[in-house]
Amino acid sequence: MAGPRTFYVTTPIYYVNDLPHIGHTYTTVVADALARFHRLAGDDVYFLTGTDEHGQKIERAAKARGISPKELADEVVENYRKLWPALAISNDDFIRTTEERHRRGVEALFARIRERTPDAIYKGKYVGWYCTGCESFYPENQVVDGKCPEQGHPVERVEEESWFFRLSAFADRLLELYDSHPEFVLPETRRNEVRSFVAGGLRDLSISRSRSKVSWGLPFPGDPDHVVYVWFDALTNYVSALGFGDPEGAPLYEKYWREAPDATVLHLVGKDILRFHAVYWPAFLMAAGLPLPTTIFGHGWWLRDESKMSKTRGNVARPGPLLEDFGADALRWFLLREIPLGHDGNYSDEAVLDRTNSDLANNIGNLFSRVVALVAKGEKGTVPAVEPLYDDELGEATREVRERYRAGFESCDPAAALRALTDHADALNRYLVRQEPWRRKGREEHCSRVLRTVVGELAHLALRLHPAMPGAAATFWQALGLGEDPATEIAAGKDLLAVDDWAVGGNSVQGPLKVFPRLDKKKVLGEAIAADGGGGRDAAAGRPAKPGKEAGAKKKADAAPDEDEGAGIITIDEFFRVKLRTAKVLKAEPHPNADKLLRLEIDLGDEKRQLVAGIAKAYRPEDLVGRTIVVVANLKPAKLRGLVSEGMLLAATGPDGVPHLLMPDGDVPPGSPVS
Ligand code: MSP
């Protein structure tokens, strides 16, 4: 079949026991950027994401909430459905494993395996361990201290009748696959891990759970006493979403689920779920005699302070507040650019801000607005229709960055592709400095040609920004008078990256442009800085501010004039304006949106209040409950990362910057005055 190459890219389907976090956001943004890149390159793209809704984990999470698993799924899936458009995710489909089409696909895959490899599925007894966190079976020798080897989740003993998949029979074929198709598992280090895992010997895999233990799953075909193991169920989404098993026919499946050379199927997954994708999934497909995906790419993890994000530690970064602070384009750029795909990286709001300022505000954004202003001023807003003027350095740089950009995306290295774009902007800035198009006197023609050249190059740049920052790319595209959006130029079979010259001569530019203003650290990250003890909004964060400029200035405004004021002396009356009270901590938990903050519920004697305090690094929530602390009871409430703090607790800051709470010596009831 002649025609454009097909490119089918998928994200993992996300469990619905948790709200979307930065990890889910990451994979989905990377998949989206790859999808958008391949659309620019003229490929026929299909991009799938969705949710994984069956299994013990969801069943238990729903039970804990007192709702049905389906109710939980319906509720959580809405968060994904709202988040993806806010992040400009261009998925073609969204699959939920509770959909009918998915059940059909799973049944069809079973039928096909039984038909092609009749002895692949058999009944036996599973004796070993099960980790609900990973939804994974672990044999005796892999469990250490009752914890799973992958994530350290608690495991449970399972002894039940089970259906098995004869995975052991596929070890040789899998090894041959890894050796003959090195691109099957990427990056290479992960391939080596997967290879050694398989070379170490494969046990047959349990692919059912007894309905008496887990009831939230698809009925096991042919045996109503069992439900399908959730990973068999989940992996099948990649074909069920394409219509596999649809009795009416499955044109999408026929079109996209094919093997190289003219088709690519890329599964993007986190490194923790690589084994399911790179070992089990190809074995199921081999048993069914179906085409295999081209590549399983195992990306790295975002960490906080070098350690795992976890709900219990309360240090999970959620996309909502980040979108508010930085916007979709800057957040996407950060996720794609900050670390090479495959590596782990440390997440911090500050890193997002720094990256935004250095790459987008100072470099790319500044270049576009500068050039638009130069054309507006020197050429009355119309790009001169003259011959471009490339000097050797720019000619060479342009060719080189375009190649690097394409190679970066084609080899699943978006960070390298994006670096080529900032290098492109650097090269254009240097060209401007060399050619000085602002020195017009007596060199008008030269200046016109230089500006024509730069605008032409900016068209290439705007187009290439589209996969990472579709919003900004459209704004730049419009500003250069090229149309609404580079996406409107996209058509299967047309390689926009091969366009040599965007004929910009005669276009009217639209300015002034201010797409990425420089972000002020204090304004954007005020709360985070506060929680570090750096003054600013510290007081509102629930603990005393270090003496800083702002704290001093505030005092001055509030206090009555006094001759000692300059020395920082206050009167006793001034001191008593601050109402200090004892309070009992009733409840303490991590702040949902900030890793340095805790949310406390306190008893002030005659009322209960909520406090938000920057003490998460020093105190575990469970150690605070029942303690009596001292709070400022008449502080104006302030909102901290979305939660209102109705007061401030007192703590002494040790030399290491760690807060130590003030607590009364002896029993005093909540609400007692402190002076
Ligand atoms: N439901 C399974 C996937 C089934 S695919 C057939 C699942 N879901 S998940 O919601 O727990 O995780 C989805 C993805 O998020 C995984 O790829 C995982 O690696 C990724 N991440 C979870 N935390 C992460 C970070 N902190 N950083 C980067 N990605 C991480 O697993």
Side-chain angles (χ1 to χ4, degrees):
M1 182 186 77
R5 286 188 317 164
T6 58
F7 180 78
Y8 177 37
V9 60
T10 66
T11 71
I13 47 173
Y14 304 115
Y15 286 129
V16 287
N17 65 317
D18 190 12
L19 295 173
H21 58 64
I22 201 78
H24 309 125
T25 308
Y26 183 49
T27 329
T28 313
V29 164
V30 173
D32 186 67
L34 289 167
R36 287 178 183 273
F37 165 81
H38 280 274
R39 289 190 199 111
L40 283 186
D43 293 341
D44 181 337
V45 171
Y46 203 74
F47 169 19
L48 175 71
T49 187
T51 40
D52 191 353
E53 305 189 355
H54 289 132
Q56 187 155 325
K57 183 156 128 148
I58 312 302
E59 191 173 79
R60 288 188 179 168
K63 199 163 170 215
R65 293 260 320 266
I67 54 177
S68 74
K70 184 63 168 53
E71 281 167 339
L72 175 68
D74 288 346
E75 184 189 303
V76 174
V77 79
E78 279 315 304
N79 294 284
Y80 283 98
R81 287 198 190 277
K82 280 196 198 117
L83 175 64
W84 297 149
L87 271 157
I89 301 300
S90 63
N91 52 306
D92 294 288
D93 197 357
F94 185 106
I95 184 145
R96 300 181 59 182
T97 53
T98 46
E99 287 173 68
E100 177 59 17
R101 59 174 175 156
H102 178 67
R103 187 187 56 73
R104 271 201 312 256
V106 172
E107 283 173 6
L109 186 60
F110 265 104
R112 176 106 185 182
I113 294 176
R114 285 179 160 142
E115 176 201 323
R116 295 293 171 114
T117 316
D119 68 344
I121 296 174
Y122 64 93
K123 204 171 195 177
K125 187 170 179 195
Y126 177 78
V127 181
W129 298 93
Y130 193 79
C131 170
T132 307
C134 307
E135 294 282 19
S136 186
F137 297 92
Y138 290 107
E140 206 72 54
N141 61 354
Q142 287 186 17
V143 170
V144 186
D145 295 337
K147 303 265 170 63
C148 83
E150 301 284 337
Q151 312 268 351
H153 298 135
V155 293
E156 290 158 57
R157 187 85 188 151
V158 170
E159 205 171 325
E160 64 190 31
E161 186 185 57
S162 176
W163 287 91
F164 285 86
F165 176 78
R166 204 177 296 281
L167 187 63
S168 55
F170 291 86
D172 289 345
R173 284 178 66 187
L174 287 168
L175 290 173
E176 194 191 312
L177 169 69
Y178 308 142
D179 294 341
S180 60
H181 291 79
E183 75 288 357
F184 185 75
V185 184
L186 290 176
E188 199 183 333
T189 47
R190 302 260 169 253
R191 177 169 67 249
N192 298 338
E193 285 167 21
V194 169
R195 203 188 181 289
S196 347
F197 175 79
V198 175
L202 288 178
R203 293 163 192 262
D204 290 350
L205 176 72
S206 178
I207 50 164
S208 73
R209 290 300 314 268
S210 162
R211 193 177 278 285
S212 60
K213 301 273 177 54
V214 182
S215 61
W216 180 235
L218 291 171
F220 196 88
D223 188 348
D225 291 341
H226 290 81
V227 297
V228 176
Y229 170 43
V230 66
W231 270 102
F232 188 102
D233 170 337
L235 289 161
T236 310
N237 92 88
Y238 300 129
V239 290
S240 67
L242 297 177
F244 181 76
D246 188 337
E248 313 268 293
L252 290 173
Y253 173 81
E254 301 298 331
K255 184 174 180 187
Y256 294 107
W257 197 261
R258 292 178 301 128
E259 291 188 354
D262 56 350
T264 298
V265 175
L266 169 65
H267 296 314
L268 270 179
V269 302
K271 61 182 183 180
D272 53 317
I273 56 171
L274 191 58
R275 178 165 42 101
F276 302 96
H277 285 82
V279 181
Y280 304 166
W281 180 226
F284 298 157
L285 292 167
M286 284 170 180
L290 295 174
L292 302 179
T294 323
T295 297
I296 320 288
F297 197 106
H299 67 66
W301 270 48
W302 286 99
L303 307 170
R304 273 266 169 116
D305 305 323
E306 309 291 339
S307 59
K308 242 185 94 176
M309 296 190 201
S310 80
K311 265 198 284 182
T312 25
R313 269 184 234 163
N315 63 353
V316 179
R318 305 274 176 193
L322 302 177
L323 275 170
E324 251 173 58
D325 286 345
F326 302 104
D329 283 325
L331 180 58
R332 288 171 62 111
W333 180 272
F334 169 80
L335 292 173
L336 293 163
R337 171 66 187 86
E338 192 71 4
I339 49 166
L341 196 66
H343 294 208
D344 289 344
N346 250 316
Y347 176 84
S348 73
D349 292 353
E350 198 165 1
V352 185
L353 186 136
D354 289 342
R355 176 62 66 189
T356 307
N357 276 345
S358 67
D359 287 1
L360 307 181
N362 297 352
N363 192 359
I364 292 175
N366 180 47
L367 174 67
F368 272 95
S369 59
R370 190 170 164 212
V371 172
V372 164
L374 282 169
V375 174
K377 190 158 175 236
E379 309 287 344
K380 299 197 176 61
T382 302
V383 183
V386 293
E387 272 300 293
L389 177 72
Y390 282 88
D391 58 18
D392 285 351
E393 196 180 323
L394 183 66
E396 170 60 23
T398 323
R399 199 187 45 72
E400 191 258 344
V401 293
R402 281 197 230 170
E403 274 169 18
R404 266 203 285 139
Y405 173 82
R406 192 190 278 268
F409 269 123
E410 280 179 349
S411 61
C412 287
D413 188 355
L418 269 49
R419 203 171 53 237
L421 298 183
T422 43
D423 288 350
H424 191 193
D426 286 340
L428 290 169
N429 274 321
R430 285 197 304 272
Y431 171 77
L432 286 172
V433 170
R434 282 197 301 282
Q435 302 298 344
E436 301 180 302
W438 44 87
R439 268 205 311 115
R440 296 189 68 90
K441 213 158 176 209
R443 51 201 298 274
E444 278 82 2
E445 196 194 325
H446 173 86
C447 293
S448 297
R449 289 185 64 193
V450 169
L451 288 176
R452 160 66 181 85
T453 313
V454 181
V455 175
E457 284 299 315
L458 288 188
H460 289 303
L461 182 55
L463 181 87
R464 284 167 177 75
L465 286 170
H466 168 79
M469 302 194 296
T475 308
F476 292 145
W477 199 249
Q478 285 160 26
L480 302 180
L482 283 157
E484 272 300 294
D485 191 329
T488 53
E489 306 275 336
I490 290 175
K494 188 164 133 197
D495 184 355
L496 293 174
L497 301 169
V499 173
D500 207 43
D501 185 21
W502 292 94
V504 289
N507 283 5
S508 303
V509 299
Q510 313 290 324
L513 254 187
K514 198 109 189 78
V515 181
F516 293 110
R518 216 185 136 69
L519 299 175
D520 181 286
K521 214 167 248 190
K522 208 153 193 187
K523 264 193 208 148
V524 180
L525 302 181
E527 292 151 11
I529 288 172
D532 278 337
R537 295 170 67 172
D538 225 20
R543 64 192 184 83
K546 280 184 180 175
K549 269 190 195 153
E550 288 200 357
K554 174 102 179 74
K555 213 184 284 166
K556 194 167 183 171
D558 287 351
D562 188 282
E563 58 185 13
D564 289 322
E565 192 190 2
I569 304 290
I570 58 167
T571 64
I572 190 81
D573 291 343
E574 281 163 12
F575 172 73
F576 278 121
R577 290 185 64 205
V578 180
K579 290 199 166 45
L580 297 174
R581 299 282 181 271
T582 57
K584 189 162 182 176
V585 180
L586 302 172
K587 198 172 166 192
E589 62 187 19
H591 189 296
N593 303 325
D595 60 353
K596 298 192 174 106
L597 303 179
L598 292 183
R599 188 187 84 85
L600 309 183
E601 276 173 34
I602 54 161
D603 179 0
L604 259 183
D606 48 4
E607 60 172 314
K608 296 205 169 65
R609 289 210 198 156
Q610 169 171 286
L611 285 195
V612 178
I615 53 171
K617 295 270 154 145
Y619 290 89
R620 289 191 306 179
E622 59 270 30
D623 296 340
L624 291 171
V625 177
R627 312 282 288 264
T628 298
I629 56 173
V630 179
V631 303
V632 178
N634 62 339
L635 195 69
K636 195 172 163 191
K639 214 174 188 182
L640 290 169
R641 285 265 146 166
L643 291 185
V644 175
S645 185
E646 303 161 308
M648 176 179 94
L649 53 73
L650 296 193
T653 305
D656 48 358
V658 174
H660 298 262
L661 287 174
L662 295 194
M663 300 186 197
D665 179 19
D667 269 348
V668 261
S672 308
V674 177
S675 56

